[in-house]
């Protein structure tokens, strides 16, 4: 079944590439607006040969993974706190909901004033983009735990900590997994915006710099690299979760189907 799904996915990508190539050959597209696949591949080869592609990719990967890790580290304990404390919900819920409605890119001017134009500002944008999927996913998972399981834990004499770690957290894991996957994707989506201001390296910077130089082939090359690494990172995340929590394998397969 996995091999069949892999072949089907490969066929879809190959079909899109073939349509793209045929559209260019037939003159249906403007070569400047949508360069042919061969031009994009040539641009990727030049970037790889010069070492620029590896440099930009590693810097962006570091930013995305660090921002994603910070989001998870902030979202998980906050979701537990708000799920356990009515006072915390009444105080923090309106503020968090207000922040959730604000696009992270709209906060760039303030983040520059507060955090400067270094790495902190870029990480701030990624964290703002990726925080809420984890937070809401985990909180929704906690809220969906069967109350009867918690009652059984009380009857068995489990402490609040044991109920949290042995009943609530395992029951909330499927929703958390969905939140983690969405959050990781949002981290990559926020990358270009994070590298929009005062950057000298990164895939987002490479795309923006290529746009200024009217190099559409490099713009498309950067987009393809981000998509490919984002897809690979999702595969690695699902594999890691499946190995750490084998009972979630069915949920991961269902989510990927």
């Amino acid at each position: 079944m996995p091999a069949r799904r892999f072949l089907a996915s490969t066929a879809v990508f190959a079909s899109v590439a073939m349509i793209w190539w045929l559209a260019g050959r037939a003159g249906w597209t403007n070569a400047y607006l949508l360069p042919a696949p061969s031009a994009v591949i040539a641009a990727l080869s030049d970037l790889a040969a010069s070492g620029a592609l590896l440099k930009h990719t590693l810097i962006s990967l570091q930013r995305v993974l660090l921002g994603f890790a910070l989001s998870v580290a902030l979202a998980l304990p906050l979701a537990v706190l708000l799920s356990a404390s009515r006072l915390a919900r009444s105080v923090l819920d309106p503020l968090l909901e207000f922040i959730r409605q604000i696009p992270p890119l709209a906060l760039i001017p303030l983040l520059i004033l507060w955090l400067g134009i270094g790495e902190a500002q870029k990480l701030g944008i990624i964290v703002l983009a990726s925080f809420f999927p984890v937070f809401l996913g985990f909180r929704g998972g906690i809220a969906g735990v069967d109350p009867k399981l918690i009652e059984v834990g009380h009857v068995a004499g489990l402490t609040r900590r044991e109920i949290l770690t042995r009943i609530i957290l395992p029951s909330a894991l499927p929703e958390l997994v969905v939140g983690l996957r969405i959050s990781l994707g949002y981290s990559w989506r926020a990358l270009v915006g994070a590298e929009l201001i005062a950057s000298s390296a990164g895939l987002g910077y490479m795309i923006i710099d290529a746009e200024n130089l009217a190099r559409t082939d490099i713009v498309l090359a950067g987009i393809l690299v981000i998509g490919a690494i984002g897809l690979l990172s999702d595969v690695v995340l699902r594999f890691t979760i499946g190995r750490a929590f084998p009972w979630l394998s069915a949920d991961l397969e269902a989510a990927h189907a």
Side-chain angles (χ1 to χ4, degrees):
M1 190 67 180
R4 184 182 302 175
R5 186 164 57 229
F6 174 77
L7 291 175
S9 300
T10 303
V12 169
F13 279 108
S15 300
V16 171
M18 180 61 68
I19 294 172
W20 179 10
W21 179 79
L22 289 174
R25 292 283 292 180
W28 298 339
T29 59
N30 185 306
Y32 169 71
L33 298 178
L34 184 62
S38 57
V40 177
I41 293 173
L44 278 171
S45 299
D46 292 341
L47 290 167
S50 67
L53 183 61
L54 179 61
K55 170 191 170 184
H56 292 310
T57 299
L58 290 178
I59 290 174
S60 290
L61 185 61
Q62 177 182 340
R63 287 169 177 162
V64 167
L65 293 181
L66 184 54
F68 174 69
L70 287 173
S71 294
V72 174
L74 292 171
L76 296 188
L78 192 59
V80 173
L81 174 64
L82 267 66
S83 298
S85 171
R86 183 176 301 176
L87 176 62
R89 286 197 299 273
S90 62
V91 172
L92 295 178
D93 253 348
L95 176 61
L96 290 172
E97 188 63 25
F98 175 80
I99 296 175
R100 188 171 72 89
Q101 307 304 324
I102 302 174
L105 294 183
L107 295 173
I108 287 181
L110 284 177
L111 291 176
I112 292 174
L113 290 174
W114 294 343
L115 304 176
I117 57 174
E119 289 300 308
Q121 173 256 339
K122 298 171 181 59
L123 291 176
I125 295 173
I126 295 174
V127 168
L128 285 172
S130 58
F131 170 83
F132 284 102
V134 179
F135 172 73
L136 293 176
F138 192 42
R139 190 175 171 188
I142 293 174
V145 176
D146 189 345
K148 293 181 181 179
L149 293 177
I150 299 177
E151 291 179 12
V152 170
H154 286 301
V155 171
L158 298 181
T159 64
R160 290 189 65 179
R161 181 185 295 273
E162 289 173 330
I163 289 175
L164 176 64
T165 57
R166 297 173 62 178
I167 297 177
I168 295 178
L169 296 185
S171 299
L173 275 177
E175 286 78 8
L176 174 60
V177 168
V178 174
L180 288 172
R181 294 183 63 191
I182 295 173
S183 174
L184 185 58
Y186 279 16
S187 297
W188 283 107
R189 292 185 184 188
L191 178 67
V192 176
E195 296 177 342
L196 182 66
I197 304 296
S199 290
S200 58
L203 292 172
Y205 163 79
M206 186 182 78
I207 291 173
I208 295 163
D209 185 58
E211 178 194 7
N212 294 332
L213 297 174
R215 290 292 306 272
T216 317
D217 53 342
I218 296 180
V219 171
L220 282 171
I223 292 171
L224 291 177
V225 171
I226 290 177
I229 297 177
L231 178 61
L232 179 61
S233 62
D234 181 71
V235 171
V236 172
L237 177 65
R238 288 189 292 107
F239 175 79
T240 303
I241 293 172
R243 292 297 296 270
F245 308 103
W247 64 88
L248 289 177
S249 297
D251 296 292
L252 291 169
E253 290 298 322
H256 188 58

